[in-house]
Amino acid sequence: MIRYYLIGLIILTIAILANIIVAKLGLKTWYDFLNSTENSSFTLMDYLWLFAIYPLILGLTAKLGLIIWEKLF
């Protein structure tokens, strides 16, 4: 159970950092996507970020969490 908690903390930390970085780059976050209205405009890069790059980063972070867990224990 502690293993999943550690991996979850790592994913959460990277997700927060990623959201801070993309907000500074001017890309939309999931918060923007879920609260969008009909007048909201999303670019191709916004969609690539939300549906390809962000999930990839989170998946790789989960793998990183497993590697860290194996190194520590």
Side-chain angles (χ1 to χ4, degrees):
M1 188 58 92
I2 294 173
R3 173 180 152 185
Y4 294 121
Y5 180 71
L6 174 69
I7 293 169
L9 285 177
I10 294 169
I11 293 171
L12 178 63
T13 302
I14 298 299
I16 291 169
L17 292 173
N19 280 309
I20 290 169
I21 291 168
V22 297
K24 290 191 182 280
L25 292 174
L27 295 174
K28 304 284 194 253
T29 64
W30 279 108
Y31 181 79
D32 300 323
F33 181 77
L34 294 174
N35 290 314
S36 63
T37 61
E38 293 177 11
N39 299 336
S40 299
S41 62
F42 288 84
T43 64
L44 176 62
M45 192 59 197
D46 291 326
Y47 285 112
L48 284 173
W49 163 251
L50 290 171
F51 293 101
I53 300 168
Y54 190 62
L56 179 64
I57 288 172
L58 295 181
L60 291 173
T61 303
K63 180 65 176 170
L64 174 66
L66 287 171
I67 292 169
I68 291 172
W69 176 261
E70 290 172 0
K71 297 282 185 194
L72 291 176
F73 301 98

